[in-house]
Amino acid sequence: MNAPNRTQHIRLTSHPEPGQATTRFPVRWGAADPHERGPIIGSVTNPADRNVIGSHGGSYSVYRALAISARALNPLARPDLHNTHPVVPIGPHPQWAEPGRIVSLDPWGHMAGEVFAREIATGTDVRPTIAVTKARLNMPEILAAMAAHRLAPDGGILHGNGDISVTKIAVDPVWWLPGIAERFGTSERELRRTLFEQTGGMFPELVTRPDMCVFLPPIGGATVYVIGEVAALADARRTVACRVHDECNGSDVFGSDICTCRPYLVHGIEECVKEAQRGGAGVIVYNRKEGRALGEVTKFLVYNARKRQEGGDSAATYFERTECVAGVQDARFQQLMPDVLHWLGIRRIDRLMSMSNMKYDAIVGSGIEVGERVPIPPELVPPDASVEIEAKKAAGYYAPDPVAASLDAVKGRGLDRY
């Protein structure tokens, strides 16, 4: 195998050269016009054009480095974006330019190849941070729901073999640091220093480049599954069902029965199918926040500590053991979660499949109205997961009873069928 051309200009971006403290592509976050806002340039093919801290791909940028080290990837390679544009249009929506509404993703990220085509054609390495495609989902529980006559195929949304037609959206995180700081009630300076220190100094530009206010964090993003028409999500005349779900590999993928994650996820999908079949739309937002954003190693350590404690696993000490191991009960902090809902143009969620107060408070606090909160049916809770449910209720994470809109509000929107 021929070694790729590895020659490129390298300089320390953490210490700008004289007169180079600002980029030729400044980012004006929140601008309604993408050209006024400017492109997000996190590639390393031309360091002089970079206007963000970090690099594209989040945690996968490390694998890119390995591929280059193995001489399998030319470090100067750029993506050919021909025919990669979204399969359905999304936006622009008013929320994209509303101050403080979106701070953790690039609203124009799926359109980068089109709106910045001129810049790309002249050699600027602009890359999408969002991709929109179509797919089909197939889960055995959906076939079971069809067999139990809770769901019926319609040939468009739900097919006879159990396939569900969806629009699938991948979202990489793009953080506007001033907005992130405001969400968490801290100063941008303090946020930058903490991010710098707690990543072991991985990103010196956080403390040396105040002119760079966009950060591409090395974390997982989100996947969005829209069931029904994407345009329905922003249409006030149509109803929306939603499940916002945080990753749980053990349950979601492998069916571990210690928690309700996969059952609640499947329940959310089932309800989203029903909503779409009624003429509305359903949306599943799947966030990469394994183990309450504490990671799977910490999660399994907590499992051991809980089950080995005197008296066995109990709701009373469920979160206590998590805090003993991790130092905090939950690191998900849902403040950033509603951004993707605003990006989709959502103003109201008629049915939210979640009893999490953290999620509900974040969504409502961001300006999105919630009509009804839908709990997981008791028959779907695995026996070993009952401790988790009771612990969440005791800790105030999980509302003990459904919180529904008033009857007048429901009837006023024509939702009395619920």
Side-chain angles (χ1 to χ4, degrees), residues 306-320:
R306 281 170 37 204
K307 290 182 178 294
R308 287 171 175 161
Q309 64 190 351
E310 185 177 352
D313 200 4
S314 69
T317 59
Y318 186 93
F319 288 107
E320 176 187 328

Side-chain angles (χ1 to χ4, degrees), residues 120-133:
I120 294 172
T122 56
T124 306
D125 192 0
V126 182
R127 304 189 181 193
T129 57
I130 299 175
V132 184
T133 189

Side-chain angles (χ1 to χ4, degrees), residues 83-90 110-111 114 130-135 166-170 226 228 230 343:
N83 280 339
T84 64
H85 58 279
V87 296
V88 295
I90 297 178
H110 59 309
M111 299 184 189
E114 291 73 57
I130 299 175
V132 184
T133 189
K134 283 189 176 291
V166 300
T167 300
K168 186 163 64 170
I169 307 164
V226 179
V230 176
W343 175 70

Side-chain angles (χ1 to χ4, degrees), residues 47-177:
D49 283 348
R50 287 171 52 81
N51 60 3
V52 304
I53 302 164
S55 59
H56 287 298
S59 57
Y60 291 99
S61 62
V62 177
Y63 288 104
R64 184 178 187 275
L66 287 178
I68 293 171
S69 298
R71 307 296 198 272
L73 174 64
N74 186 330
L76 300 182
R78 297 186 181 185
D80 178 357
L81 298 178
H82 180 66
N83 280 339
T84 64
H85 58 279
V87 296
V88 295
I90 297 178
H93 294 295
Q95 293 96 316
W96 294 13
E98 292 175 2
R101 196 72 76 187
I102 298 175
V103 301
S104 64
L105 60 88
D106 176 10
W108 303 97
H110 59 309
M111 299 184 189
E114 291 73 57
V115 297
F116 299 115
R118 183 178 60 185
E119 289 82 355
I120 294 172
T122 56
T124 306
D125 192 0
V126 182
R127 304 189 181 193
T129 57
I130 299 175
V132 184
T133 189
K134 283 189 176 291
R136 288 192 180 189
L137 303 184
N138 191 297
M139 306 175 77
E141 292 93 336
I142 297 301
L143 286 171
M146 293 168 66
H149 303 292
R150 295 197 308 271
L151 289 176
D154 58 84
I157 295 166
L158 178 61
H159 302 268
N161 64 350
D163 283 358
I164 303 170
S165 294
V166 300
T167 300
K168 186 163 64 170
I169 307 164
V171 182
D172 277 345
V174 178
W175 286 6
W176 172 244
L177 291 173

Side-chain angles (χ1 to χ4, degrees), residues 319-341:
F319 288 107
E320 176 187 328
R321 298 311 303 158
T322 302
E323 191 165 2
C324 286
V325 174
V328 65
Q329 292 184 0
D330 196 320
R332 287 176 293 178
F333 305 115
Q334 303 287 352
Q335 286 94 326
L336 304 180
M337 173 267 290
D339 286 25
V340 71
L341 303 176

